[in-house]
């Protein structure tokens, strides 16, 4: 989600604009133009770059963060720094008389701005700590925002491969479980993709709820989810899969426009990850195991019917 | 003389691929005007049910769809949606008596169902081979995407019309993609990449397997409705490919003559459709050579002679250029 600075940060935007123009106004009002030969173009480029970058940072902050204490401190801090830098830049064109208070105005805001930014970063650290706790069970010790699935908000298969590699390096015993919704394509064709996507989202929430804090849930492909279970015994892993199966069986999903609730049945598979059998793609090994299991189930189902 | 379909001839109905694309993008919250931007399709065309679309419009829509959906599973979603179509062509498939009849119908109605690909089928030692080639000038990325879509559609169709779990081998000519997990999830267990050409392989015994939703009466009804429809035969590219396949020694002049055109017109027409003549010749010779070497078990001399090469080293060199393998390597594979 992106924020529109002009609606969600109106006060901050006004503040920054005021700072910028007051800096311009101050130095224009008090200064006298230099002659052409006195102008140092290299300095202008360097200092102009600093002002420009500070403005870019402010814009990025305003677009990407919701209104909060952290945002205010960071933006005002960088804003003050930008104010000093702008005065510094305009110095190159305009000669200033030696007012004591003017040199104060030029040099004081920058350190104050830095202090405020540091304070903002401290609060950001605290905020991040809270957010990381919220993201537990969704990510391992690795963050790759480009690998998040846009439908469910879980990480995708490539992330899982990376996370497994990292886990295996630390030589912990780990188990990987796969969960596949039975006949999901039928669900999609019966109720449409919108409801199908919603089902995937709800199922992912349910999976997160059923996992332990140290587990990581990912969406492998389509209707297949995988759970990474570090430091787990086979018994524990099996139990967790059973619990997930049970939870989904009794989850009465309400399809929009349909009176009856839909219950989901899942197929699960498990594989142990250790360095011996790890040949690049533990996930696809597990997936083919899952497919075979699905196949056997279909055969058994048909035999039962006949 | 047949009239062949060119890329701007309007014959594709909105039913099927185009409607599936529109529905999918709408369920993901993508606005219609964004989807149609630059495709040459207008919103009112979609609501005018008599309106027909051209292949190039369809391809541009597909490219725009791929761009906007962003996710790697969009082609697979689209493919699995294609068999839920309600038009009479799809019904003819669904109510066929067995898989053999389904495939026969599929070959017959290919221009209505999957106009971007064409196929050649062979039966050899209990296996049924379907070799696929693009029937329209597509760039490489889009060609892979089209194969994703129609492979998924084909596999979903197999699952729908066969009672037992369908085993189908998918060979792709391109290298293993990064989103391999989507292939595994949607196309079953037998998938391989980096093959000399794209093909689907079925067990011949499967063709006689009964279709659980077969209905003779409905099938006949669909047939009679199709009978009244004016079906187009093939695209111009496909016609040229098929001609070159059966005439390996044909050059530009005699091919142009076969299609009753001057060489310049012929070349211009190929260019409009997005392909070059020498690329077509290479592609057809490659397919012919692979067919002769693997399915007919011919030796290098015979194949070189059939493809009108002067000597064996020349043929071996050309074959290596087409497939990255020597003929003997292909045979041992």
């Amino acid at each position: 989600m992106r924020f529109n600075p002009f609606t969600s940060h109106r006060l901050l935007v006004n503040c920054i604009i005021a700072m910028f123009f007051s800096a311009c106004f101050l130095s224009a009002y008090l200064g006298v133009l230099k002659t052409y030969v006195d102008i140092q173009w290299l300095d202008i480029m360097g200092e102009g770059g600093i002002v420009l970058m500070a403005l870019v940072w402010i814009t990025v902050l305003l677009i990407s963060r919701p209104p909060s204490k952290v945002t205010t401190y960071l933006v005002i801090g960088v804003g003050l720094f930008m104010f000093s830098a702008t005065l510094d830049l305009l110095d190159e064109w305009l000669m200033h008389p030696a007012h004591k208070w003017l040199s104060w105005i030029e040099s004081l805001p920058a350190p104050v701005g830095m202090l405020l930014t540091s304070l903002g970063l401290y609060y950001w650290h605290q905020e991040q700590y809270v957010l990381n706790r919220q993201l537990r069970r969704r990510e391992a010790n690795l963050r790759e925002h480009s690998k998040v699935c846009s439908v469910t908000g879980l990480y995708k298969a490539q992330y899982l491969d990376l996370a497994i590699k990292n886990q295996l390096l630390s030589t912990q015993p780990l188990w990987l479980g796969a969960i596949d919704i039975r006949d999901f394509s039928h669900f999609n064709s019966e109720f449409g993709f919108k409801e199908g996507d919603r089902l995937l989202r709800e199922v992912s929430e349910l999976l997160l709820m059923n996992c332990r804090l140290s587990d990581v849930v990912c969406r492998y492909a389509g209707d297949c989810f995988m759970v990474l279970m570090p430091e787990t015994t086979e018994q524990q892993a099996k139990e967790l899969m059973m619990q997930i199966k049970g939870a989904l069986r009794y989850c009465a999903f309400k399809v929009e426009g349909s009176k009856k609730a839909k219950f989901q049945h899942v197929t699960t598979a498990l594989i142990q990850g250790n360095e011996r059998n790890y040949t690049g793609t533990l996930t696809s090994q597990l997936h083919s195991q899952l497919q075979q299991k699905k196949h056997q189930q279909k055969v058994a189902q048909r035999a039962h019917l006949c | 003389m047949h009239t062949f379909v060119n890329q701007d001839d309007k014959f594709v109905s909105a039913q099927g691929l185009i409607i599936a694309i529109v529905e999918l993008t709408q369920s993901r919250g993508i606005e219609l005007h964004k989807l149609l931007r630059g495709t040459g399709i207008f919103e009112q065309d979609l609501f005018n049910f008599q309106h027909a679309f051209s292949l190039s419009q369809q391809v541009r829509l597909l490219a725009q769809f791929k761009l906007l959906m962003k996710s790697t599973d969009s082609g697979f979603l689209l493919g699995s949606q294609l068999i839920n179509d309600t038009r009479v062509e799809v019904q003819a498939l669904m109510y066929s008596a067995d898989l053999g009849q389904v495939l026969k119908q599929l070959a017959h109605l290919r221009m209505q169902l999957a106009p971007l690909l064409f196929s050649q089928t062979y039966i050899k030692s209990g296996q049924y081979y379907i070799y696929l080639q693009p029937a329209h000038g597509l760039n490489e990325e889009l060609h892979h995407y089209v194969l994703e879509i129609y492979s998924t559609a084909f596999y979903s169709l197999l699952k729908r019309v066969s009672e037992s779990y369908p085993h189908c081998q998918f060979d792709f000519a391109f290298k293993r993609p990064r989103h391999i997990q989507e292939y595994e999830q949607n196309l079953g267990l037998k998938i391989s990449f980096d093959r000399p050409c794209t093909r689907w392989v079925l067990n011949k015994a499967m063709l006689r397997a009964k279709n659980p939703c077969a209905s003779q009466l409905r099938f006949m009804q669909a047939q009679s409705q199709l009978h009244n429809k004016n079906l187009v035969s093939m695209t111009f590219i496909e016609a040229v490919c098929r001609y070159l396949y059966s005439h390996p020694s044909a050059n530009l002049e005699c091919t142009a003559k076969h299609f009753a055109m001057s060489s310049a017109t012929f070349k211009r027409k190929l260019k409009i459709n997005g392909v070059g003549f020498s690329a077509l010749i290479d592609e057809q010779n490659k397919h012919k050579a692979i067919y002769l070497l693997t399915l007919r078990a011919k030796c290098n001399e015979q194949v070189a002679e059939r493809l009108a090469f002067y000597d064996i080293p020349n043929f071996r060199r050309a074959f290596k250029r087409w497939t990255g393998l020597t003929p003997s390597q292909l045979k041992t594979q």
Side-chain angles (χ1 to χ4, degrees):
Chain A
M1 189 170 126
R2 291 202 172 87
F3 294 91
N4 183 352
F6 294 101
T7 54
S8 51
H9 303 286
R10 194 179 287 165
L11 205 64
L12 281 177
V13 172
N14 284 335
C15 237
I16 294 300
I17 293 173
M19 276 185 200
F20 183 72
F21 282 106
S22 62
C24 295
F25 173 75
L26 261 179
S27 64
Y29 184 67
L30 296 170
V32 185
L33 267 180
K34 281 183 181 176
T35 52
Y36 188 77
V37 282
D38 287 339
I39 294 175
Q40 301 280 322
W41 290 103
L42 197 68
D43 285 2
I44 287 181
M45 265 170 52
E47 282 162 16
I50 292 173
V51 174
L52 208 67
M53 276 299 122
L55 283 173
V56 169
W57 290 356
I58 290 170
T59 319
V60 172
L61 276 171
L62 289 176
I63 292 174
S64 48
R65 287 198 49 93
S68 73
K69 194 159 73 177
V70 179
T71 320
T72 313
Y73 277 115
L74 287 177
V75 169
I76 296 291
V78 182
L80 283 173
F81 177 73
M82 186 267 311
F83 178 80
S84 278
T86 313
L87 278 179
D88 230 23
L89 172 68
L90 293 172
D91 254 1
E92 302 297 323
W93 282 288
L94 300 156
M95 196 111 72
H96 288 145
H99 280 305
K100 203 176 190 183
W101 60 274
L102 190 69
S103 65
W104 274 45
I105 282 183
E106 199 180 309
S107 46
L108 249 191
V112 175
M114 284 295 150
L115 261 178
L116 286 180
T117 315
S118 312
L119 198 62
L121 281 174
Y122 172 68
Y123 288 128
W124 175 73
H125 157 75
Q126 284 183 337
E127 182 194 86
Q128 205 57 41
Y129 181 72
V130 175
L131 286 181
N132 286 347
R133 232 177 21 200
Q134 282 180 9
L135 280 177
R136 265 171 119 172
R137 293 184 282 194
R138 284 179 184 265
E139 73 178 13
N141 301 324
L142 192 69
R143 185 162 295 171
E144 290 261 357
H145 69 271
S146 58
K147 295 196 172 78
V148 174
C149 152
S150 57
V151 175
T152 58
L154 298 176
Y155 274 108
K156 291 188 282 198
Q158 286 92 353
Y159 176 85
L160 189 61
D161 283 333
L162 269 178
I164 289 172
K165 214 179 229 167
N166 279 355
Q167 288 278 349
L168 285 177
L169 281 180
S170 57
T171 58
Q172 291 167 337
L174 74 83
W175 278 83
L176 189 68
I179 300 121
D180 189 285
I181 306 173
R182 239 178 268 171
D183 291 330
F184 180 68
S185 58
H186 279 273
F187 186 92
N188 248 346
S189 56
E190 205 174 336
F191 303 110
F193 290 106
K194 208 171 166 191
E195 287 302 291
D197 283 356
R198 198 166 70 85
L199 175 67
L200 287 178
R201 265 195 295 276
E202 306 284 351
V203 166
S204 64
E205 290 296 327
L206 201 69
L207 290 180
L208 287 171
M209 215 166 77
N210 277 285
C211 284
R212 299 163 305 173
L213 280 178
S214 55
D215 300 338
V216 182
V217 183
C218 290
R219 185 180 173 204
Y220 185 68
D223 55 327
C224 175
F225 294 89
M226 285 194 183
V227 186
L228 175 65
M229 295 170 273
E231 291 178 68
T232 306
T233 61
E234 184 174 1
Q235 190 58 38
Q236 286 170 323
K238 274 186 177 156
E239 201 180 319
L240 192 81
M241 286 294 123
M242 283 301 291
Q243 285 162 350
I244 287 176
K245 240 183 198 173
L248 277 165
R249 189 180 304 142
Y250 293 113
C251 162
F253 181 74
K254 310 291 186 302
V255 183
E256 206 181 320
S258 157
K259 283 177 195 140
K260 270 190 176 170
K262 292 296 280 186
F263 294 89
Q264 303 305 321
H265 294 272
V266 293
T267 312
T268 57
L270 273 170
I271 196 168
Q272 187 177 21
N274 50 35
E275 274 150 307
R276 263 182 301 113
N277 70 7
Y278 182 65
T279 54
T281 45
L282 191 66
T283 47
S284 62
Q285 268 181 45
L286 175 63
H287 188 264
S288 68
Q289 203 176 310
L290 182 78
Q291 293 277 344
Q292 268 154 13
K293 213 165 163 184
K294 263 165 80 179
H295 177 197
Q296 282 162 10
Q297 270 173 357
K298 279 223 172 104
V299 172
Q301 213 175 3
R302 292 237 159 83
H304 183 70
L305 284 176
C306 291
Chain B
M1 190 74 207
H2 287 289
T3 49
F4 300 114
V5 176
N6 287 302
Q7 65 156 7
D8 289 322
D9 293 339
K10 298 198 168 173
F11 75 98
V12 185
S13 124
Q15 280 177 310
L17 192 69
I18 294 177
I19 286 193
I21 286 178
V22 171
E23 276 185 349
L24 250 171
T25 45
Q26 280 183 342
S27 74
R28 288 279 159 94
I30 296 165
E31 284 168 51
L32 192 58
H33 69 90
K34 270 192 183 164
L35 176 70
L36 298 181
R37 188 177 296 156
T39 58
I41 301 173
F42 297 99
E43 266 185 65
Q44 60 263 35
D45 297 346
L46 292 173
F47 297 101
N48 173 6
F49 302 110
Q50 307 304 318
H51 193 89
F53 301 87
S54 70
L55 276 182
S56 60
Q57 281 177 330
Q58 200 182 8
V59 170
R60 286 197 291 265
L61 187 72
L62 212 53
Q64 189 74 358
F65 173 75
K66 182 171 188 273
L67 189 77
L68 290 173
M69 287 291 281
K70 286 185 189 121
S71 58
T72 47
D73 62 347
S74 60
F76 298 94
L77 274 177
L78 185 58
S80 58
Q81 184 63 11
L82 286 183
I83 58 156
N84 296 321
D85 200 2
T86 50
R87 61 187 161 147
V88 60
E89 286 90 345
V90 180
Q91 283 174 22
L93 297 181
M94 291 300 168
Y95 299 127
S96 296
D98 51 30
L99 188 57
Q101 197 170 31
V102 171
L103 293 176
K104 213 166 150 188
Q105 290 299 314
L106 200 57
H108 179 56
L109 300 168
R110 193 189 51 73
M111 278 304 278
Q112 274 63 47
L113 295 168
L116 295 174
L117 296 173
F118 76 91
S119 61
Q120 282 150 318
T121 52
Y122 309 103
I123 295 179
K124 165 88 189 213
S125 55
Q127 300 283 18
Y128 188 80
Y129 296 90
I130 306 172
Y131 283 82
L132 296 159
Q133 288 187 58
H136 183 82
L138 293 169
N139 68 31
E140 201 176 336
E141 195 190 335
L142 214 53
H143 179 48
H144 297 175
Y145 196 60
V146 167
L147 283 174
E148 269 176 17
I149 294 170
Y150 286 117
S151 300
T152 314
F154 183 67
Y155 196 57
S156 312
L157 177 70
L158 284 185
K159 277 200 241 174
R160 184 74 67 89
V161 299
S162 52
E163 228 164 18
S164 57
Y165 196 82
H167 288 287
C168 179
Q169 159 90 31
F170 293 91
D171 288 350
F172 295 101
F174 46 89
K175 70 175 198 306
R176 192 184 152 93
R178 279 177 62 87
H179 54 289
I180 174 77
Q181 73 278 4
E182 305 287 351
Y183 282 82
E184 289 171 355
Q185 177 76 10
N186 291 289
L187 299 180
L189 293 165
K190 296 178 184 168
I191 321 159
S192 50
F193 298 95
D194 275 324
R195 309 298 302 197
C197 51
T198 306
R199 66 178 188 188
W200 302 333
V201 189
L202 296 167
N203 196 331
K204 202 180 129 200
M206 268 174 69
L207 301 188
R208 283 193 300 277
K210 283 272 164 294
N211 176 3
C213 35
S215 155
Q216 203 189 359
L217 205 58
R218 289 184 192 215
F219 177 75
M220 280 158 65
Q221 198 176 23
Q223 285 300 317
S224 78
Q225 281 178 37
L226 283 172
H227 193 69
N228 300 328
K229 274 194 169 182
N230 201 0
L231 301 179
V232 289
S233 62
M234 57 175 88
T235 65
F236 180 64
I237 303 285
E238 182 186 345
V240 176
C241 286
R242 286 194 189 276
Y243 176 78
L244 290 175
Y245 189 80
S246 49
H247 301 81
S249 56
N251 56 14
L252 181 64
E253 280 77 38
C254 67
T255 315
K257 205 170 155 196
H258 175 81
F259 288 95
M261 285 174 212
S262 71
S263 305
T265 317
F266 181 72
K267 263 175 104 168
R268 197 170 55 242
K269 210 163 170 192
L270 283 183
K271 202 176 163 194
I272 292 172
N273 282 294
V275 288
F277 186 68
S278 57
L280 282 187
I281 284 200
D282 277 357
E283 193 62 23
Q284 294 322 304
N285 280 340
K286 178 182 108 179
H287 274 91
K288 184 106 187 174
I290 290 170
Y291 163 68
L292 291 172
L293 286 168
T294 55
L295 299 186
R296 299 286 299 277
K298 299 273 187 217
C299 64
N300 288 359
E301 290 80 17
Q302 286 165 313
V303 180
E305 194 192 321
R306 285 283 290 276
L307 296 182
F309 275 91
Y310 291 117
D311 54 8
I312 312 287
N314 238 337
F315 164 68
R316 281 169 56 91
R317 213 170 305 129
F319 194 80
K320 178 108 191 190
R321 181 162 55 85
W322 299 331
T323 61
L325 298 168
T326 59
S328 48
Q329 275 171 332
L330 179 80
K331 274 187 172 173
T332 52
Q333 246 186 20

